[in-house]
Amino acid sequence: MNPFPAVRERRRAPVTGGAARRSAGGRYRPSVPQRLPRRIPDGRFNDLFAALRSHRDRALLAFWVSNGARASELLTSRQRDPLPGEQLLGVVRKGTGAFQQLPSSPDAFVWLLLYQDEAWRAGAPRAGHAPLWWTLRRPFRPLTYHAART
């Protein structure tokens, strides 16, 4: 039996316990394929990266691009979680709430170290259990999702 008949036939829908599924009927109507995300050209990305005002923002962007973590996941990192020697950054995953170490680029760790040096000199808290990402101005507070987006 041809699953894609050339003519429109009226077929009775099988009787089910629930509501019958309504279809457009007739010919095969393929679903529209999902478009791949557009990418930003390298030159534009370099311009964006250069326009950022702080080492913190450069480090965040470098981690987002290199390890593919969600913004909310990246902001869960603590100061004890980055392992520059192994190029891993620990995050708490959104769905499961499990701790996972994600591989990241060496450049991201360079920007992270520059940011940490700058933040610690300014007086940001420095403890293993403390958040990794802080606001740039006093009083220092952990960076939230909405603050990171602006």
Side-chain angles (χ1 to χ4, degrees):
M1 181 177 206
N2 185 359
F4 313 116
V7 293
R8 262 185 132 149
E9 295 178 16
R10 297 275 183 191
R11 293 187 185 157
R12 285 185 76 184
V15 178
T16 59
R21 181 178 169 183
R22 307 261 182 213
S23 70
R27 298 175 186 256
Y28 171 66
R29 292 194 176 116
S31 61
V32 178
Q34 295 254 342
R35 288 179 44 166
L36 292 174
R38 294 185 340 197
R39 13 173 240 190
I40 184 170
D42 289 340
R44 299 284 300 263
F45 179 79
N46 293 339
D47 294 341
L48 170 69
F49 203 78
L52 295 174
R53 297 180 189 166
S54 70
H55 294 315
R56 182 201 65 191
D57 295 342
R58 290 183 190 100
L60 281 169
L61 182 60
F63 278 114
W64 278 325
V65 169
S66 70
N67 65 18
R70 292 176 173 94
S72 59
E73 293 173 348
L74 191 57
L75 294 174
T76 62
S77 294
R78 301 282 173 192
Q79 291 188 16
R80 64 175 173 252
D81 295 339
L83 302 173
E86 298 175 27
Q87 295 180 3
L88 296 173
L89 178 69
V91 299
V92 177
R93 298 306 288 200
K94 179 182 175 187
T96 62
F99 179 79
Q100 184 178 6
Q101 292 180 324
L102 302 175
S104 303
S105 74
D107 292 339
F109 286 102
V110 170
W111 289 111
L112 175 64
L113 292 175
L114 289 171
Y115 155 66
Q116 283 180 321
D117 183 53
E118 183 179 74
W120 289 338
R121 285 180 192 216
R126 187 177 188 171
H129 65 281
L132 182 60
W133 309 104
W134 295 95
T135 56
L136 295 176
R137 288 182 237 145
R138 291 179 184 265
F140 292 107
R141 294 179 302 269
L143 191 65
T144 62
Y145 175 78
H146 296 290
R149 287 192 53 170
T150 57

